[in-house]
Amino acid sequence: MPMEPLPDLATLSLADIARLAQEKRLPPVELWNPSHCGDSEMRIARDGTWFHQGSPIGRQAMVRLFSTILRREPDGGYVLVTPGEKLDITVEDAPFVAVEMKAEGSGAATKLAFRLNTGELISADADHPLRFTDTENGPRPYLHVRGGLEALVARSLYYDLVALALEGEEQPPGVWSNGAFFPVQPTPVHPPLDGPPLDEPPLDKPAS
């Protein structure tokens, strides 16, 4: 059965996005506890590209399908899980990338929604917070997706978030979304994963 077409964020209202996100039926991976079966030989690169045995997975529908059975383990690792098996998968940074953002409202009434590289829609709120970290390569913003899985927010969207933060009067500066406030300042970060340098230049730190 073909997968549904990716949503066009520009044509959706924030109410539409919230409804679609709630209607999305994901496998109950948190309820599945099969025996560990080994390694999937799959890797999610820092830019969000999925690889299998060293080659990029070209079929986006396959990537979207695998992303629905991805789970974060208590030890911080990642697995692909079904009722019958559990396989390790390497994630170099975050398993998703937020590639598009839509904002409505202003100030504390602002609502922000993001489209991930897999097509999934996420509204930033208390259950899906934004956090900002500071690394050797510059600021790195993340959006919580579900169950400990995060999306790295694309550089262009980071600049948009900083611009929104600087429009407000809050100290420290930050952005509002669905009644929650997210300071645009570094927060504690997990130990960095080993991996190759980023494929794109590091983010420039905003001018003070």
Side-chain angles (χ1 to χ4, degrees):
M1 176 182 294
M3 299 191 75
E4 297 177 1
L6 294 177
D8 182 357
L9 198 61
T11 64
L12 298 173
S13 69
L14 269 293
D16 291 333
I17 292 169
R19 175 180 55 79
L20 288 171
Q22 288 185 344
E23 291 176 353
K24 183 71 173 178
R25 297 292 184 264
L26 293 169
V29 295
E30 70 281 359
L31 302 179
W32 296 339
N33 293 290
S35 299
H36 184 262
C37 299
D39 195 290
S40 68
E41 300 186 62
M42 295 175 68
R43 172 174 62 91
I44 304 176
R46 296 182 181 224
D47 65 357
T49 302
W50 287 58
F51 290 82
H52 180 243
Q53 295 181 337
S55 298
I57 299 177
R59 293 179 58 193
Q60 185 64 15
M62 187 66 69
V63 170
R64 292 168 62 192
L65 179 61
F66 281 131
S67 73
T68 66
I69 58 171
L70 183 66
R71 188 174 77 189
R72 187 82 181 267
E73 296 290 80
D75 63 2
Y78 297 85
V79 295
L80 296 172
V81 62
T82 70
E85 62 180 353
K86 181 169 65 173
L87 299 168
D88 293 330
I89 179 172
T90 299
V91 178
E92 292 183 351
D93 190 337
F96 302 100
V97 179
V99 296
E100 188 177 356
M101 181 179 77
K102 184 166 186 174
E104 288 184 0
S106 61
T110 300
K111 295 182 179 181
L112 303 174
F114 297 83
R115 182 171 63 82
L116 308 185
N117 59 318
T118 56
E120 191 169 346
L121 301 177
I122 303 292
S123 294
D125 55 26
D127 293 326
H128 303 91
L130 287 160
R131 69 178 181 93
F132 298 80
T133 69
D134 199 5
T135 72
E136 294 180 356
N137 292 317
R140 297 182 73 80
Y142 296 87
L143 172 70
H144 183 257
V145 178
R146 60 178 177 273
L149 302 176
E150 291 186 309
L152 174 66
V153 178
R155 178 185 293 108
S156 59
L157 304 187
Y158 166 74
Y159 291 139
D160 291 340
L161 290 170
V162 170
L164 285 174
L166 295 178
E167 290 176 0
E169 298 180 354
E170 291 82 5
Q171 291 297 327
V175 294
W176 288 91
S177 183
N178 291 290
F181 182 73
F182 307 109
V184 182
Q185 63 178 8
T187 56
V189 63
H190 300 293
L193 298 175
D194 293 333
L198 294 174
D199 295 331
E200 55 184 6
L203 295 170
D204 297 325
K205 296 185 177 180
S208 56

